[in-house]
Structures are given as structure tokens and as C-alpha cells.
Amino acid sequence: MLTLTENRGRTVLMVAAENGREDAMHLLLNHPSADPAAMAMATEPRGFTALMLAAENSHVDAMRSLLNTQSANPAAMLLHASSDGSTALIVAAEKDCMVALRCLLYHLSANPEAMMKHSNSRGLTALMAAAQEGHVDAMRLLIHRPFADAAGMMLLVEHRGFTAFMLAAVNGHVGAMRLLLDYPFAVPASMLMHTNSDGLTTLMVAAENGQLGAMRLLLNHPAAHPAAMLAMRTPEDCMITSALMAAAGFAAGQPTITSLAPTRSCAPLLLLLNHAAVEQLPSEAQQAHMNAVMVALREGPLSQDIFDDGQADDVRDACIRLLLERGACAVRAASPLVARIIGENMQLALVSDAFVDVATKSQKRPRHNA
């Protein structure tokens, strides 16, 4: 009876732990026919033990009952990984179960550093799992433990090469980013300039996902060098070659890698353009870069919403004007919008007479809604 499972594949002990029924757990674990060690290590279909189910639901008394049971093996319970490689510590951090996290950290005695750095099948450690969700208090608890190698934990990467800091940035969790940057033994410069497996920096992935708050923090941090960050390029085989390209892709509707991406807009692109170094006489390299950004705007799934909208949009219009001023080719993005901006800014020194003629003619043509 003690080992029978219900329709979800959970034993009586698991159901009691999941619901915080410490009284029932005590009765089960101390029954004359019970094998507490085996009962504690039994798993349901996800590979969760009774301890993990209790941790997932913040039932700290149920957790203590399991960890303090005679003849049970607390170290084995703490080290056990589910079918996706998650330990109870990762589960608690991801779910922001603070009382469960404190209980687990209190009981970490056998090789605590290895347990703190353990990662699941996605490569996520407990710190990464908390950072990805923006659980600042859980992150603070993890990095301020006496035995925690916080600086080392911050350098760890998941399977895409994302650090905890980068995961916080891509999801727009500014508070989590600040916590990591302000940690006494952190190296902000290396965190800001870290690149993932695709060669993307934290600023690029934040721009790719439209995370304006994260981008502002990255550009304005005392350790930041905005000109260098905006000048960084990815390998040639990468679709995104710069932070500006990433921001243009976001505005134009390219896919994001987070479900927490904000509403599409040109605001992230304008922020970067306003921080970028400006050459008084654009070099060929700058012109090529501005052209690439303009093309990224023009070729995205939402490009018609950007270029064929007759309504004024201060942020979008400012982006197009700055791109033209810095060497972007008007013909590469010919549209009523570009025609209007050129017509309103005849002083654009970098727009040739030929492009002005094209723009003027375009303005006279009737506009059609997309």
C-alpha cells in the first residue's frame, strides 16, 4: 500500500508532500513496514521525488520531515535530478519558493559548491533559473551564501552560451541585472562584453528582444563603453551583425527568443543610434552599417507597418532621419515615409540630389494602404 501510485504516478507519500500534510507523512515514514529511504527516493513521471514536490509548493515543514527522517539519505535527496536534470534547488529557485530555498540551502552540507553549480538539461543552474524569471530575492539568497562561489556561478553558461546576467537581460529583468552587476566580486566589464554561442553580446540580445530598460542599464553603467559595445560585430554567418541590426530586426517584427518581449517599436533602435559614435564624414564602413540597418528595417515581417504608414511617428521618423544622415541609402528603402522625411529635411547633406528627386516624385504619387 505504501508504494502504490495514483493515476498521476504519485505515491501516497508524494501526495502528502505535495499538499504539505506533514502529519500524514510522519505516519507513513514511521510505519513498521515502511522503507523511508526507498519511499523518499521514489519518483513520479517527471522524475520528481516527494522532496521536490514539497519544494515546488513551498511546504517547508514537509521538506524538513523528509530531510530529517532517520535512515533516509538527505544528500541523495538533495542531489537527485528529475528527468530534465533539475534538482530540488533549481526547482525552488525557478518557482521563487523562498522558504523552500532557505531550507535546501541550510541542508547543503555534502559538496555544496557542486550542487550550486549543477545544471539541468537546458544548462540552467539554480542562479540562472532565478535570473531568467527575475526572482531577485532568490538570486540574492543564492549568491550571498558563505560557501557560494558567486563570481564563478556568474561565469557559468547554459547550452546557448547565456550567463545568468544575459538571461536576466533578454527577459528585461533590470533588478536582477543590477543585483549581479553590484555584487562585490563581480567583474562588470566582462559581464557587459560577454558573448554567447552565436557571438551575440548582452546588449545585442537585449536589443533583439526590445528590452529597453535592460539596454539603458547596459549603456549607462559606469563600466560600460557604449562606443565599443555598439562597434562590436558578430561572425559573418550570423543574421544579426550588430546591436543596431538586432534593434532594427525587433522593430521590423523578427522573432524574439522570449515570451516577455514588449510591444514592437523603434524605441530600442533610437536609443542605440543616440549612443552610437557619429563620424562627421561617414566612412564606407559606417555607410555600409547604416545601409544594413535600413535593410533590416525594410525586410522584416512588419516592414510595411514601418514604411507605408502615412501617420507621423516621432520615434520611427527620428530613426530613419538619423540613418539617412549617417550614410544609409534612401533608394534601398524607398517609400512614402522616406520620401516625406527627405522632403522635410532637404538639408540632409548625405542624401544626393538624385535621391531627393526620387523622393519628390514619390511624394506626388497616391499612397496605398498596405
Side-chain angles (χ1 to χ4, degrees), residues 14-29:
M14 291 179 196
V15 174
E18 182 182 25
N19 291 281
R21 294 297 305 273
E22 186 192 1
D23 53 344
M25 294 174 64
H26 179 77
L27 181 65
L28 292 165
L29 291 167

Side-chain angles (χ1 to χ4, degrees), residues 352-369:
S352 70
D353 291 340
F355 294 157
V356 173
D357 289 340
V358 170
T360 305
K361 289 175 183 176
S362 290
Q363 280 187 308
K364 295 178 180 177
R365 294 176 189 151
R367 295 177 186 173
H368 301 281
N369 292 328

